Every structure is written in structure tokens, then in C-alpha cells.
Amino acid sequence: MLKQLSAQDAQFLYTQTANNLTHIMGVYIYDPSTAPGGFVRFKDIIRHVESRVHTSPLFKRRLHRLPFDMDHPYWVEDEHFDIEAHMSHARLPEPGDWRQFCIAVARHFSKPMDMNRPLWDIYIIEGLDRIPGIPKGSFAMLHRVHHAAVDGASGAHAFIAMSDIDAKGTPAIAEPPPVEDLGTAPSSAETLSRAWSASMQSPVKFMNALMKMSPAIISSARRSIAEGGMTAGVPETRFNVPVGPHKMFDATTVALTDVAEIRKKVPGATVNDVVLTTVGGALRKYLAKHKELPKESLVAVAPVNLRGKGGKASTPGNQVSAMSVPIRTDIAGPLERLAAIRDYTVEAKEAKAGVSARIMTDLSQHIPGATMAAVARLVTSERFAVRGTNLFISNVPGAQVPLYLAGAQLVQQHGMAPLANNMGLFVATPSYNGRIAFSLISERAVMPDIAFFRTCIEESFADLMAAVPKPDKAKAVTATPKPAAKPKAKPKAAAKPAAKSGVKPVAKPNATRKNPKK
């Protein structure tokens, strides 16, 4: 059965350029000492991945694009699928330290994918022995997937389905999704017929959707006009420029238990609030160092998962919206910044901030493919890209138990995602096995000193850990009279002639009754 890409999936194809590649990449570091024999060979990894390609439809399906993008592409079976065509390996050059690793990761991420094959590949990097905190003999797996095929949730699910829960090879997900029967590419006549039918029905479906959503659209438009348009409240920074092809990468990790301790300092704060606050503090430090800190708060775009509790992450594709969040770079105090972000996200989440993106996502389902392709390329181009945000921050929860690949234990997990014109910084924060990573993606001309920004992230998180909450005002008012009353009672007792000053203040009334008897 033919399966066509959704409008949201297809957007990631239409907006891809030589400078803006729209694939995502997982960065996984494994310790092979847990594997049988204490080592893992490249052919062992190939054999393991090959045994799991049935766990997700994305592994064996490729794109079938139509001439001039007259309609959205189709997924078809790759009749020439070869697992080894998707996998390669290399050794980290000397000195083999963290900096060399980050350079190798960024270079691989900056390369275009082969769009004529299934939209994924795996690159194994060995020689990580000189990286502090990484076990000797470890290797890294860079797993790229095009964003047209998966979003954060479905991509994370596909990775877990490829993993084991122990070194013996027990699959992390026992039951894979049913296999899709996509068939071969449609004929030219069938393609034209489907494209013509879709184009004829699109205006009717679009207007029906528009009428259903008109109250929300009017409300959103009024709010946008009142607030000054799409760029209102978004300061101009070094990140709001056209991005080039040379990406940068760095990362650091923190313990989820420490994140939980920070949450307790501001009641109602979430893990995502702590992440936003940490990034806000880091950008405040980074831009202040470069004397570029604006008076207004920087604004980040954060994804909103539209799958819901019943949504299937095993289904490839994109089901996300987004909301804009001021990350309060204008507030110096770390806990004051966290409280301000908490107050905003409580009100904005699933409410006013996400409605515009949800409306556009729903309406885009009914726009003809050729029209959407042209508009998507236009609005994301260097000349016409809107400054609607300063950066993108994505928080994707991961497995909180150890995962394995061919017997090797996963010890670190990071993520990379595409940049866009006028959005030259992406912070991905996947969590795994009790830790959360701050994965930093930028472009060489935008953030050449990305290692310094990593230091700013670490310092900002340390500031949150060291911050002490101010006492609650209500409790402070009730507690004030008690310590103030004690000093007043002591001078009166000391003024008495007898040596009764040693009597405790609470016993003073009884002592005055006994004096006449003596």
C-alpha cells in the first residue's frame, strides 16, 4: 500500500539546502568491556544492526519524489537495500582527545546524506582512549536520520528498539511494530492522477479547516498584532544571521538527581524549566563576555509533542508543534530566573504560545505540495527568514536504565539537530540512565568558541546548585516575634537583686510567688 509523507514531514525536504541540512544525529559512546571477550568488532556491530532493521519501517524505505514537487513524496521499499552501504567506520586522529572528537562529530554531521537510499546511516569512531571520563577501548556510534523520516520521539524509539537491556542481547523492545507493505514506486500515470486529485481537493479541505479554526486564528492574529508581530520581544543577536555549512559541536552532562534538587528550590518547576534556566544563564554569561548581552530576554523555541499519551512513538514521522519561551537572560539571579520561566511555561504550555504553531501544522496538511515546497523554501531562505526566535532548545526524555549494543554498554548519549537561517544555535538535551546531556550545535562563523559556551553551561548549572532559596515571606512574618520576645525578657530578669537570674525565663512567674515565703 502506498504511503505518502505528511505535509510536516515533507517540509524538512523542501527546506533543505547546502547550508541547511535537515537531518538529525544521535551521538552514542559505548564501553565494550561488558561484551563477551571484552571487545566489539565492526562486523559485530553490522550484524547487530542488521538483526534489528525489522524494528522500524524507516530502515528499508526510501523516498520517491515527484517532478517539480507537484505533490508530497511517497515512501517505497528500497529494492537494492544493503546494510553495509549505510555503515562505515574510522579512527579518531591524534591526539584523540575530546576536542578532536567534537571536530569529527561536527564534520560528519555537516555532510549531506544520500537521498537516493533509505534516509539513515551509521558511522563508528574508534580511538577515544584519551577522553577523560570515557572507559578505555570505547567507541562512538553516530546515527544520522533525516528529519523527514522521524521526529525526536520516534527517533528515540527507533534507537531503543535497536538496543538491548543487557549484554546478553535481550531486546529492549520485545515486540516490533507490524511491517509495512509499501510496494514499488507508483507509475507516472498514477502519480499525476494522485497529484491532480490532491490539488483539486486541497482548496476545499483548506477552507473547511480554516472555518473550524477561525476563532483560534483570529485570537492568535490579534495577539500577534498587539504584541508587535512575529519579531516582537526577540532581540537581534549573533545567532540571528544566515548560517553556513560548517557546523560546530560540544557537550557536557549533569546528573538528574542534581536537576531534581534544583527543582525543589522553586516549587512547581519542571526538568524542562531547569534546562531552560541553565541555558539562559549560560547565554547571559557568554554574551556578556563578548559585550553583546541585550537588555531584553532572549527567546527560545521549544518543541511540544503532539502525540499525546496514546500516541505511538513507534510510528515514524513528525508529530510536533512548538512554543516560544523567554529564557530570561535579563535576570541575573539563577533562582529568580527559574521562577520567572516556571511562571511563563505554566501559563503558555498547550495554551497561547503553542496555538499558532498548531494551527499552521493543521492547515499545512491541506496545502498542495508544489505550493508548500515553494513557500517553505522562500520563508526559510537567507533573505526572507523571519527572526521569530534566537535559538532552539529540545528536551527529549530517554531510557533511564543501561542500554547495550552488541554487548557494549552505552555510557554517554548526545544529540544533534539542524540549524536554520536566523537561528544559529541549537541546544539538544537528551537524558539517559540518570544523566542529562547539554548538546550544543552551532556554526563556525556564529560561535567559533563553542568550548567556552560549554563552560558557560557548566557554570550556569553550578550557580543553580549553589543558590539558596529565600525564606518564604509568610513563614518569616510568623516567625519574627518569637526571637524578638526573648531578648526583652532577659534584661528584666537580670535587674532583680537576688541571684535568681539563673532561673529560666519560663519559670519566672512561679519564682515571684515563692519569694514572700522565704
Side-chain angles (χ1 to χ4, degrees):
M1 179 180 179
L2 288 175
K3 184 176 181 62
Q4 191 173 26
L5 272 71
S6 70
Q8 194 174 29
D9 294 343
Q11 288 180 54
F12 291 103
L13 296 174
Y14 303 149
T15 58
Q16 177 161 290
T17 66
N19 291 349
N20 292 327
L21 301 174
T22 51
H23 54 250
I24 59 178
M25 185 169 79
V27 181
Y28 310 100
I29 300 178
Y30 290 91
D31 175 11
S33 65
T34 57
F39 63 91
V40 175
R41 296 168 295 184
F42 180 58
K43 66 178 183 180
D44 298 328
I45 300 173
I46 294 177
R47 189 182 304 116
H48 177 89
V49 174
E50 189 173 23
S51 70
R52 300 299 169 88
V53 294
H54 67 284
T55 60
S56 176
L58 72 89
F59 286 108
K60 287 188 175 183
R61 66 186 190 183
R62 63 174 179 84
L63 284 175
H64 176 71
R65 295 186 75 161
L66 282 62
F68 309 108
D69 287 321
M70 64 177 66
D71 199 5
H72 301 321
Y74 290 86
W75 291 116
V76 297
E77 290 288 339
D78 182 15
E79 63 274 24
H80 303 297
F81 177 76
D82 180 1
I83 186 72
E84 295 192 23
H86 292 263
M87 301 184 67
S88 58
H89 77 297
R91 190 169 186 86
L92 198 64
E94 292 295 334
D97 55 12
W98 176 252
R99 180 176 177 274
Q100 285 297 130
F101 177 69
C102 291
I103 291 173
V105 169
R107 284 177 178 170
H108 183 66
F109 183 74
S110 301
K111 296 177 181 178
M113 296 185 69
D114 186 345
M115 304 298 289
N116 297 313
R117 295 194 301 229
L119 302 183
W120 67 274
D121 58 36
I122 285 177
Y123 185 50
I124 302 298
I125 301 180
E126 300 174 305
L128 314 182
D129 291 351
R130 297 185 184 177
I131 300 178
I134 301 298
K136 300 293 183 182
S138 295
F139 64 89
M141 181 177 76
L142 313 186
H143 184 198
R144 293 195 304 179
V145 184
H146 201 279
H147 219 320
V150 295
D151 58 13
S154 59
H157 182 275
F159 168 72
I160 293 176
M162 195 169 60
S163 304
D164 298 326
I165 57 172
D166 54 38
K168 299 177 182 178
T170 305
I173 298 179
E175 297 181 5
V179 178
E180 292 182 326
D181 184 14
L182 299 176
T184 58
S187 64
S188 299
E190 185 178 4
T191 296
L192 289 173
S193 175
R194 285 173 171 266
W196 177 260
S197 176
S199 297
M200 291 298 99
Q201 295 178 21
S202 290
V204 177
K205 292 181 178 179
F206 183 85
M207 288 306 299
N208 288 338
L210 193 66
M211 294 301 293
K212 290 179 182 179
M213 299 176 184
S214 57
I217 293 173
I218 293 171
S219 175
S220 178
R222 285 175 177 171
R223 183 169 57 252
S224 179
I225 294 171
E227 294 175 356
M230 293 184 68
T231 60
V234 181
E236 190 169 353
T237 66
R238 63 165 58 203
F239 310 116
N240 301 110
V241 295
V243 296
H246 307 297
K247 304 303 185 287
M248 302 286 285
F249 169 77
D250 211 320
T252 187
T253 65
V254 299
L256 279 172
T257 53
D258 290 340
V259 174
E261 287 299 316
I262 293 171
R263 286 179 57 193
K264 295 177 184 177
K265 298 178 181 182
V266 177
T270 65
V271 170
N272 197 52
D273 293 337
V274 176
V275 167
L276 295 172
T277 304
T278 302
V279 176
L283 281 169
R284 180 181 173 86
K285 292 174 183 289
Y286 180 86
L287 293 176
K289 177 70 174 179
H290 291 284
K291 299 180 180 180
E292 299 174 3
L293 181 64
K295 293 181 180 179
E296 307 87 359
S297 171
L298 269 67
V299 177
V301 166
V304 177
N305 190 349
L306 297 182
R307 295 173 186 270
K309 294 183 179 180
K312 293 183 179 180
S314 60
T315 304
N318 292 269
Q319 297 183 39
V320 293
S321 181
M323 68 174 182
S324 297
V325 183
I327 54 176
R328 305 317 303 262
T329 52
D330 56 329
I331 299 177
L335 293 186
E336 289 80 0
R337 187 185 316 116
L338 176 57
I341 290 175
R342 174 208 58 189
D343 293 342
Y344 184 89
T345 56
V346 166
E347 179 185 356
K349 197 174 295 182
E350 300 296 338
K352 67 173 186 179
V355 66
S356 298
R358 290 199 302 273
I359 290 171
M360 294 310 299
T361 298
D362 292 337
L363 290 179
S364 66
Q365 304 294 327
H366 309 300
I367 299 176
T371 303
M372 175 171 286
V375 172
R377 294 186 184 108
L378 182 67
V379 299
T380 57
S381 64
E382 292 185 14
R383 184 176 179 183
F384 295 103
V386 176
R387 191 180 79 247
T389 183
N390 298 115
L391 71 153
F392 202 105
I393 302 175
S394 175
N395 179 21
V396 180
Q400 297 308 311
V401 295
L403 296 177
Y404 298 80
L405 179 87
Q409 183 178 347
L410 177 64
V411 294
Q412 278 194 30
Q413 175 179 339
H414 304 285
M416 296 188 71
L419 304 176
N421 290 318
N422 268 332
M423 193 195 73
L425 177 63
F426 196 116
V427 181
T429 57
S431 60
Y432 163 69
N433 197 26
R435 299 193 70 82
I436 186 168
F438 286 83
S439 306
L440 316 175
I441 307 98
S442 190
E443 193 257 325
R444 189 180 300 168
V446 174
M447 186 179 274
D449 54 348
I450 196 168
F452 171 61
F453 183 54
R454 182 201 68 220
T455 301
C456 292
I457 290 281
E458 294 168 347
E459 291 178 354
S460 177
F461 191 83
D463 291 343
L464 283 165
M465 286 293 296
V468 178
K470 294 180 180 179
D472 186 77
K473 291 183 179 180
K475 293 181 179 179
V477 170
T478 56
T480 300
K482 293 182 180 179
K486 291 181 181 179
K488 292 181 180 179
K490 288 180 180 178
K492 292 180 180 179
K496 301 235 176 185
K500 300 212 174 29
S501 57
V503 181
K504 294 182 180 180
V506 293
K508 198 184 299 180
N510 293 334
T512 55
R513 294 191 189 102
K514 293 178 181 179
N515 282 340
K517 294 181 181 180
K518 288 182 180 178

